[in-house]
Amino acid sequence: VGCSGMILTLIMCKAMNRNLANVLFSGFGGDSTTSDAEVEGEMKAASTSDAYYVLEAAQTVVIIPGYGMAVAQAQHAVKELGDLLEENGTEVFYAIHPVAGRMPGHMNVLLAEADVPYEQLVEMDTINPRMPSVDVAIVIGANDVVNPAASDDKSSPIYGMPIIKANEARTVYALKRGQGAGFSGLINQLYFLEKTRMLYGDAKETVTSLVSEFKR
């Protein structure tokens, strides 16, 4: 068990571009004032009916799950939404970050439980080159793994950590319970982009509402 835990820890360190000592002792995200001060604009809320019209017209949708999907147990609703999008002629992928959730493979297990086809699960390095051509990215409870500060802000504690580049999609919908920060304690710059709209509330309830819009 100890060896398995160490292997998983090292995998997570590699995915975060950090060494083990840095992760254990650096106070990751403890003082985010410098990075947060550079965030401009405001989070813009949208309704599920607004999101439906954009999704209904989308040719490519990438779903990016995170810990919020796990907490809400929303994976089955997410699978149903993906099926409805495909029936509408949309190409659907599920982009998996190595440390999304609380352990490597967490999202893979949940989506496999919901019978999401394996070929639709796409790793970060595979999906990132395609993101500029993606019509809609749906971020479901993920935070730090899609934060553009990791690529753009050298003062950020997460600078250098590989991320899924949701910010390069044409439109972003972020599902979140509220306006709080993620595990690192950092505000996510993605949420303040002009192209991003927030869908607040429990992830399962929000996705179920989107499913209902498609079934009308």
Side-chain angles (χ1 to χ4, degrees):
V1 172
C3 290
S4 298
M6 179 58 70
I7 291 169
L8 289 174
T9 300
L10 292 174
I11 291 172
M12 294 182 75
C13 288
K14 181 179 179 181
M16 295 168 66
N17 196 30
R18 295 287 189 274
N19 60 46
L20 181 60
N22 178 273
V23 171
L24 293 177
F25 305 116
S26 67
F28 181 67
D31 181 8
S32 59
T33 53
T34 300
S35 181
D36 290 352
E38 298 173 1
V39 177
E40 297 180 355
E42 60 182 2
M43 298 183 188
K44 297 170 285 293
S47 67
T48 52
S49 58
D50 293 335
Y52 161 73
Y53 289 111
V54 176
L55 289 169
E56 195 273 337
Q59 294 185 342
T60 307
V61 170
V62 172
I63 297 171
I64 306 169
Y67 185 63
M69 185 187 79
V71 171
Q73 287 292 294
Q75 61 268 28
H76 294 281
V78 169
K79 168 64 161 56
E80 188 174 9
L81 176 61
D83 289 345
L84 290 168
L85 285 166
E86 286 192 293
E87 291 174 11
N88 193 50
T90 303
E91 189 177 29
V92 178
F93 295 102
Y94 300 80
I96 310 298
H97 191 282
V99 296
R102 286 298 181 261
M103 66 187 75
H106 193 179
M107 298 300 105
N108 301 69
V109 171
L110 291 178
L111 293 172
E113 175 189 311
D115 295 323
V116 172
Y118 180 77
E119 58 270 17
Q120 285 184 290
L121 304 181
V122 185
E123 294 182 358
M124 173 179 61
D125 292 340
T126 301
I127 198 64
N128 275 345
R130 300 190 59 174
M131 290 306 295
S133 64
V134 169
D135 291 316
V136 181
I138 305 176
V139 180
I140 305 178
N143 193 75
D144 302 314
V145 299
V146 291
N147 191 340
S151 300
D152 304 334
D153 184 359
K154 292 184 178 180
S155 68
S156 173
I158 63 170
Y159 181 73
M161 185 181 86
I163 61 167
I164 294 175
K165 297 181 179 178
N167 58 299
E168 294 186 355
R170 292 166 182 154
T171 300
V172 179
Y173 284 102
L175 278 62
K176 215 171 174 302
R177 284 185 177 274
Q179 296 188 359
F183 179 73
S184 71
L186 298 174
I187 291 177
N188 192 338
Q189 296 179 3
L190 176 69
Y191 303 152
F192 293 81
L193 298 181
E194 186 59 35
K195 66 174 68 177
T196 301
R197 293 295 181 271
M198 308 298 297
L199 297 175
Y200 291 117
D202 176 83
K204 184 176 181 179
E205 293 178 1
T206 300
V207 176
T208 299
S209 179
L210 286 169
V211 167
S212 298
E213 292 285 345
F214 273 93
K215 288 184 173 180
R216 285 183 180 178

